[in-house]
Amino acid sequence: MASSSSADRYAANIQGWNIQQVNTPPQYLGRKTLPIKRADAEPLTREDLQYDLLYYIFTDTTKAFVDHLAPTNPYVNFCDLYVNALYNSPKCSKVLKDKMVETPAFAIEFAKIALLTNVGRINTTMAFFPEMKTALRSYHPVPSLQKTDGNLQDAPRIKNCLKAALLPFEFKTPPPSSPAEILEKARAGIIPPTSVVNLIFVLSNSNHAMSVAQKHFDPPVEFLDLFLPINLSSSSRARVFLWMMFHYLSGPDRPNPFDDEYSRANPGRVPRMRPLTREEQAQENVDPPDEVEWGKRMSALRSKFLRELVDEMEMEKRRKKNPPPLPPPPAPSTSYSGESDAAVLRQVRAQRYAASEGPGSRGSSHSHESRPLAHPPFESGPRPLRQLEEFRGDTSGEDPNEDRSMLQQAWHVINSSDPLEDSDKEEDEHVRVEYSRRLRVLARLRGKEPTPERDIQPGSSAQGDPGQPTGRLQHVQSWR
């Protein structure tokens, strides 16, 4: 009895239904006011999202849609079709894909917010993470669609992901851009004629709103009214939306599984939508207390983040206006420049020349006293010239006959040689050994002997063994 009485009430509603009784909120009467308008940090409620409508759309289990992106093109329900389209979008990041696979609940939440972006309810100024710093976006917690720990990102990224969600053959040729083109391809046997995301973009386009409304809806309802908070039941609006998806993706000539008696009797017209009283409308899209509390908590977190950001910016401004005092200048240098440097250099040369004429060892500090300068050093300013020590020879005390490595020889040369002295005099055995080592290193790098060739030593061959590689070539051959 209960079931028959409810059916009677439903029939009474259908028979007595007057489309003129549909109440569209004044703020949504214009196409430009379709997006949700909320202040920064203000949560998006279930009524804003029309959560019940999204719930009925994504929980429908009717497998009536051909998924061109899946192997063997199986029939799937709308939820799988839409989520798979987002997942295969070239603009869907790897992190987002991994999260969708790991947490299917997040994939559905992301698909719901993407569908609202697809029809224009979520515009590109919204973001869904509280640490956003740019002033071009506004943060909004979405308690009903942020149950998991996934990041819904922001509307521009979602829009980019949707724009790239096309079928493989649509990347080579432009996808259809009008409802008539989509139906023409469907009648030609191309199933599906376009991606579900592109179909929703086309139906939501204001250029086609009037033609779509006249063809499928009774005035004053249009396609986008399905996503607005109007006095039509969420379940009947979800059925109409799915009917539209099947009509364009599978073709108008096939039996539509979402038909009712009215749509069967009137081909091309959507099923009837059940109107709601104010009391019945108030019972839909109700925010539970835990979601309300979570939204307030996230709004407070956003306010705290903005306060800290403003304080940091103010401190930066104060630092720029009142920079910290500069560090004290370094102590005056004792080095001389200009003519002073020239005088010092002349004095050092004179001292070394005097020391090199005596019978003692070259550069020894115990050989002779320095010869007096022919000219007094140039005085610059009241500061006296610093007396420089004369060059000292090697005082390491090592055995001169002991073999040295190349590093030891270099260190010996640095400590015992005078860079200002002529080097035409005969060098010791260590210098000749060093030159010989350098020559062998160069020959190894070149891969051949020095040119011109060295004198042939007794008992050695003039040309060497031609089959024996040398130098770098030998090392390369050892890698093979």
Side-chain angles (χ1 to χ4, degrees):
M1 296 295 294
S3 61
S4 63
S5 61
S6 60
D8 294 340
R9 285 198 301 271
Y10 178 77
N13 287 330
I14 292 296
Q15 294 174 358
W17 181 61
N18 186 1
I19 194 63
Q20 300 296 336
Q21 296 176 355
V22 175
N23 297 323
T24 303
Q27 66 269 28
Y28 298 117
L29 290 177
R31 177 64 180 87
K32 293 183 180 181
T33 58
L34 175 68
I36 301 172
K37 300 293 184 180
R38 289 290 179 269
D40 186 82
E42 189 174 355
L44 301 184
T45 64
R46 292 195 173 200
E47 183 180 6
D48 295 331
L49 307 174
Q50 289 297 286
Y51 179 84
D52 289 357
L53 169 70
L54 300 176
Y55 171 81
Y56 287 118
I57 289 176
F58 283 91
T59 56
D60 186 87
T61 59
T62 306
K63 295 183 178 181
F65 303 96
V66 177
D67 191 352
H68 186 79
L69 299 175
T72 69
N73 297 338
Y75 285 92
V76 297
N77 57 20
F78 179 82
C79 178
D80 294 340
L81 179 71
Y82 198 79
V83 172
N84 198 24
L86 297 176
Y87 182 85
N88 287 280
S89 172
K91 295 296 185 179
C92 185
S93 64
K94 184 180 182 302
V95 176
L96 183 58
K97 289 182 178 181
D98 293 342
K99 187 62 181 178
M100 292 172 71
V101 173
E102 294 172 3
T103 311
F106 166 76
I108 297 177
E109 291 177 350
F110 180 72
K112 290 179 179 179
I113 203 75
L115 178 58
L116 294 178
T117 308
N118 207 164
V119 299
R121 284 287 282 161
I122 300 293
N123 60 16
T124 54
T125 62
M126 290 187 173
F128 308 108
F129 49 94
E131 294 83 7
M132 182 200 55
K133 295 183 178 181
T134 177
L136 301 177
R137 314 256 191 276
S138 58
Y139 165 70
H140 303 280
V142 190
S144 59
L145 298 182
Q146 289 180 308
K147 300 285 187 179
T148 60
D149 58 348
N151 181 11
L152 292 180
Q153 304 188 7
D154 55 13
R157 288 186 175 89
I158 298 175
K159 192 70 171 289
N160 290 335
C161 180
L162 291 169
K163 287 291 186 180
L166 301 174
L167 298 181
F169 58 83
E170 292 181 319
F171 289 101
K172 299 179 182 179
T173 59
S177 58
S178 67
E181 293 181 24
I182 296 176
L183 290 178
E184 182 180 355
K185 295 183 68 174
R187 288 191 175 99
I190 304 175
I191 303 298
T194 186
S195 68
V196 61
V197 174
N198 183 60
L199 171 62
I200 297 174
F201 273 131
V202 171
L203 296 178
S204 304
N205 194 320
S206 59
N207 296 329
H208 312 304
M210 186 63 66
S211 61
V212 171
Q214 293 176 351
K215 186 175 182 179
H216 302 293
F217 294 90
D218 294 328
V221 178
E222 298 179 0
F223 174 75
L224 292 176
D225 290 330
L226 302 177
F227 296 89
L228 300 180
I230 58 178
N231 60 330
L232 294 174
S233 69
S234 299
S235 59
S236 62
R237 283 184 285 151
R239 183 174 184 173
V240 169
F241 173 79
L242 295 174
W243 185 95
M244 293 283 294
M245 296 296 103
F246 184 90
H247 181 80
Y248 282 92
L249 291 177
S250 298
D253 300 329
R254 298 190 180 186
N256 196 319
F258 304 101
D259 271 328
D260 65 354
E261 295 181 2
Y262 177 81
S263 59
R264 291 190 189 97
N266 300 274
R269 311 298 288 186
V270 299
R272 288 291 195 185
M273 290 177 283
R274 184 171 69 89
L276 299 176
T277 63
R278 291 185 179 179
E279 292 77 13
E280 291 175 332
Q281 188 175 1
Q283 295 176 3
E284 292 191 344
N285 304 301
V286 179
D287 297 294
D290 59 330
E291 293 183 4
V292 174
E293 182 63 27
W294 187 85
K296 293 180 179 178
R297 190 164 62 249
M298 296 304 294
S299 297
L301 180 64
R302 172 65 174 176
S303 300
K304 178 182 177 182
F305 174 78
L306 290 179
R307 287 196 301 269
E308 294 175 353
L309 183 62
V310 170
D311 294 342
E312 182 180 351
M313 295 173 63
E314 291 296 331
M315 291 178 61
E316 185 66 24
K317 290 180 180 180
R318 287 196 293 268
R319 281 197 295 267
K320 290 182 178 180
K321 290 182 179 179
N322 302 315
L326 297 175
S333 175
T334 58
S335 62
Y336 297 91
S337 60
E339 292 82 357
S340 299
D341 292 341
V344 171
L345 184 60
R346 286 196 298 270
Q347 179 183 3
V348 172
R349 287 179 175 175
Q351 290 175 352
R352 290 176 178 171
Y353 175 77
S356 64
E357 289 185 347
S361 62
R362 179 175 64 85
S364 173
S365 61
H366 304 285
S367 58
H368 291 283
E369 292 183 358
S370 301
R371 184 178 298 180
L373 295 174
H375 301 283
F378 181 79
E379 300 274 343
S380 176
R383 292 181 298 178
L385 284 174
R386 181 177 58 180
Q387 184 68 25
L388 301 179
E389 295 183 3
E390 62 180 270
F391 179 79
R392 296 178 180 272
D394 181 24
T395 58
S396 61
E398 68 175 29
D399 187 2
N401 297 322
E402 183 180 355
D403 292 338
R404 304 181 186 133
S405 65
M406 296 183 71
L407 178 62
Q408 291 173 339
Q409 173 65 14
W411 181 253
H412 172 79
V413 171
I414 293 174
N415 291 325
S416 61
S417 299
D418 185 1
L420 300 179
E421 189 106 0
D422 292 336
S423 59
D424 294 338
K425 59 187 298 184
E426 185 71 19
E427 301 292 347
D428 58 8
E429 181 65 23
H430 293 290
V431 176
R432 285 192 292 271
V433 170
E434 180 190 11
Y435 287 157
S436 178
R437 289 173 178 172
R438 292 182 182 181
L439 197 59
R440 288 198 302 269
V441 171
L442 293 175
R444 188 179 298 112
L445 293 175
R446 295 178 63 206
K448 61 180 180 179
E449 293 299 321
T451 304
E453 298 179 355
R454 295 180 299 175
D455 294 339
I456 302 175
Q457 300 295 331
S460 64
S461 170
Q463 296 296 332
D465 185 5
Q468 180 69 22
T470 60
R472 185 176 57 181
L473 180 60
Q474 181 179 4
H475 182 63
V476 172
Q477 289 179 348
S478 67
W479 292 348
R480 296 174 183 174

